[in-house]
Amino acid sequence: MTTADDQDPTAITGEVLGVRIANLESVVQRANLPGNLEGLLAHRILADRHSSVVWNVNPMTPEWLAENRHRFVYAAGVAILGFGLTGFVSMESQTGRQYLSEGLPNLMRKNPFQADGVTFVNDPGQIIGLALAVNAVLEDVPKARPWLAEVLHDPRLRPATPLLGIFHHYARHIIGTPIGNSPDARNISDPVELAGWLWLAGLPGCQILKDPDELRRLRSRLISELVLNQAESLSAGRAALLLNAVVRIVTASVDDLVLSTSHVGVLLSRFGDAMRQWRHDGDNLIHPIRWLITEEREIQNILWLMLRPVFDDLVDEETLRKVGHSTYRADFGIPSLGLLIEVKYARRAADFKAFEKEILEDYVAYLIDNKPYTKLAVFIYDESASVQEHGTTRNALLKLPHVTDVVIVCRPSHVPAAPRTSRRRNPTAPATDESSTA
């Protein structure tokens, strides 16, 4: 019989950390509503680094803009437009830009340092959204950015908390004005503040913590705080900072951590960032390089390159035991984690319903008496950009008790759509009769 004293403490840490991540995700999810300022701030912090959250914060729709037009003379409404124009470019961008150009001058005439403290400079979502807004309408309202820079360097700007000061630093970074002095990380104790400085330090051109040893110490302390502290009372923005920190720690310092299935999910969610370097040159080059993505096998190749440097025992096309007359192969296996990874390539919205059925069938065959495998993660590449199907499929599959992650990503915009073909299961998929087994 194994007692608590016999368990590997690092394994316990990994399990507890997974619970904390789930709690943080639930906090973010509560603010994941169209035009919700906290939700938009969380989306900005996380960007595409944590795709298990299916975002629903987009304010740039005709319905939302029409219903909320009265808000665009206030700082919060202007900030929402700033987030929308920056993160959700659409056919409504011109309308949003017009509303923003009308609302900003009114806001610029007001005193940002009210005696009662109720002002945009004391609200993280508003100050970040305003920084994005002045950049979005720089040509239409050229005086807006110098105005905000002056506000952010005004001696009356005295953040009530260190975390608010971090957001002031970020707002300065957005509009390209001097950020200010970085803190002594040794004096930081609050885990959200630690996460905030780690987030800010990881932004391009924002090297506020230059000592690698200091960064490592900060990451180590933050992991300890995440394991020991709860997250239920956090706002969505604060929870997003902690989630972002977890992703950065896993991907930047993975050798210093004990790997678990939660790390696999985090790495898979980084697919979008990894695809930034995927080559598809324009016609302006003499010899353009164009890496096409047309089928599931190519997605498997990319995932191998992402996962293999981290997991030494990663196996592709893992052959499992026979079930009846059929032999099954999982796309990837990580024996040390007891984890199988199934990869799918969606060409159209209808594929998601089919995937649910296929994965349920494979799930039963994969995890019955197939030691050491006891868990399954799913990765779906959506060629069709059918984002309306993502939440339904993800929620359905996550109800299966041993499915650890369902990561769904869309085709990057710089990669052209694959030619339309009739859908079929990938030729490398599990064999379903004995005559086709390996």
Side-chain angles (χ1 to χ4, degrees):
M1 179 176 177
T2 303
T3 65
D5 293 335
D6 297 325
Q7 296 182 39
D8 181 354
T10 54
I12 296 173
T13 299
E15 182 178 350
V16 172
L17 187 59
V19 173
R20 295 291 180 267
I21 290 172
N23 290 341
L24 293 169
E25 289 176 344
S26 68
V27 173
V28 172
Q29 196 63 48
R30 288 197 290 270
N32 189 19
L33 301 168
N36 184 289
L37 196 55
E38 272 291 321
L40 286 164
L41 178 62
H43 176 267
R44 180 72 184 183
I45 292 169
L46 291 171
D48 296 324
R49 297 186 180 91
H50 203 80
S51 61
S52 62
V53 177
V54 181
W55 291 106
N56 185 39
V57 292
N58 181 14
M60 305 303 291
T61 63
E63 297 78 14
W64 194 92
L65 291 172
E67 291 174 4
N68 293 273
R69 186 171 182 178
H70 64 282
R71 301 174 62 184
F72 302 147
V73 296
Y74 303 106
V78 171
I80 291 170
L81 290 176
F83 282 113
L85 288 170
T86 305
F88 302 94
V89 178
S90 70
M91 294 179 64
E92 301 305 315
S93 294
Q94 186 58 42
T95 302
R97 188 171 286 104
Q98 178 183 341
Y99 292 156
L100 190 52
S101 298
E102 295 170 355
L104 256 178
N106 294 326
L107 181 62
M108 292 164 60
R109 289 191 286 268
K110 297 179 180 179
N111 178 13
F113 300 102
Q114 300 289 338
D116 60 5
V118 181
T119 170
F120 65 85
V121 297
N122 292 327
D123 183 279
Q126 292 187 41
I127 193 64
I128 300 307
L130 283 172
L132 296 172
V134 300
N135 280 351
V137 292
L138 183 60
E139 294 183 1
D140 300 323
V141 192
K143 294 182 179 180
R145 191 155 70 176
W147 161 78
L148 187 58
E150 184 177 349
V151 170
L152 289 169
H153 288 284
D154 193 297
R156 291 173 293 176
L157 184 68
R158 297 176 181 177
T161 65
L163 184 61
L164 180 58
I166 291 171
F167 285 109
H168 288 164
H169 281 320
Y170 181 46
R172 297 185 191 106
H173 173 70
I174 291 172
I175 64 174
T177 191
I179 290 180
N181 297 325
S182 60
D184 184 347
R186 292 172 297 182
N187 296 328
I188 303 173
S189 57
D190 181 80
V192 182
E193 291 175 21
L194 289 170
W197 285 116
L198 187 61
W199 167 62
L200 203 59
L203 296 174
C206 191
Q207 298 177 348
I208 58 170
L209 299 174
K210 300 179 181 179
D211 182 359
D213 290 334
E214 186 177 19
L215 278 173
R216 280 192 290 270
R217 287 193 294 270
L218 191 153
R219 291 175 185 139
S220 177
R221 290 171 56 199
L222 181 54
I223 284 293
S224 299
E225 293 293 339
L226 281 171
V227 170
L228 295 174
N229 290 287
Q230 298 293 331
E232 287 76 1
S233 61
L234 294 174
S235 67
R238 293 166 67 90
L241 284 173
L242 292 173
L243 271 175
N244 179 77
V246 171
V247 173
R248 289 190 179 279
I249 289 170
V250 170
T251 54
S253 328
V254 72
D255 289 339
D256 298 329
L257 298 171
V258 175
L259 298 172
S260 69
T261 54
S262 62
H263 298 125
V264 176
V266 170
L267 290 173
L268 291 176
S269 71
R270 298 287 288 178
F271 183 94
D273 284 347
M275 292 300 290
R276 291 178 183 274
Q277 294 299 318
W278 194 256
R279 292 286 297 274
H280 196 278
D281 298 333
D283 294 329
N284 57 320
L285 297 181
I286 297 176
H287 300 292
I289 296 175
R290 291 165 179 165
W291 298 338
L292 299 179
I293 300 177
T294 60
E295 60 181 359
E296 181 182 302
R297 183 61 192 176
E298 288 145 7
I299 301 302
Q300 293 173 0
N301 296 152
I302 298 169
L303 295 181
W304 173 271
L305 293 174
M306 293 176 62
L307 296 172
R308 181 59 182 81
V310 179
F311 300 98
D312 292 338
D313 60 339
L314 181 69
V315 181
D316 67 330
E317 298 297 325
E318 177 72 309
T319 301
L320 307 173
R321 72 174 185 84
K322 289 180 63 176
V323 177
H325 292 88
S326 301
T327 297
Y328 288 82
R329 296 188 187 92
D331 294 312
F332 296 106
I334 305 177
S336 61
L337 300 181
L339 179 71
L340 295 171
I341 304 172
E342 185 71 357
V343 180
K344 296 292 184 181
Y345 185 107
R347 298 183 186 277
R348 53 184 181 147
D351 288 348
F352 284 88
K353 183 177 180 180
F355 289 167
E356 293 168 20
K357 294 180 179 179
E358 292 172 5
I359 291 169
L360 179 59
E361 175 189 344
D362 292 340
Y363 169 88
V364 175
Y366 284 1
L367 301 183
I368 295 178
D369 296 329
N370 270 319
K371 294 182 179 180
Y373 299 111
T374 59
K375 298 179 286 289
L376 176 68
V378 177
F379 182 91
I380 301 175
Y381 177 86
D382 185 6
E383 161 72 28
S384 64
S386 302
V387 293
Q388 73 278 6
E389 307 295 338
H390 292 187
T392 301
T393 294
R394 184 175 188 276
N395 292 335
L397 295 178
L398 284 176
K399 289 180 180 178
L400 299 173
H402 301 292
V403 171
T404 61
D405 284 283
V406 178
V407 177
I408 307 175
V409 301
C410 288
R411 172 177 58 84
S413 60
H414 69 285
V415 177
R420 290 288 180 182
T421 59
S422 59
R423 184 185 170 273
R424 59 186 177 85
R425 292 193 74 169
N426 189 275
T428 59
T432 55
D433 59 77
E434 186 144 30
S435 62
S436 60
T437 58

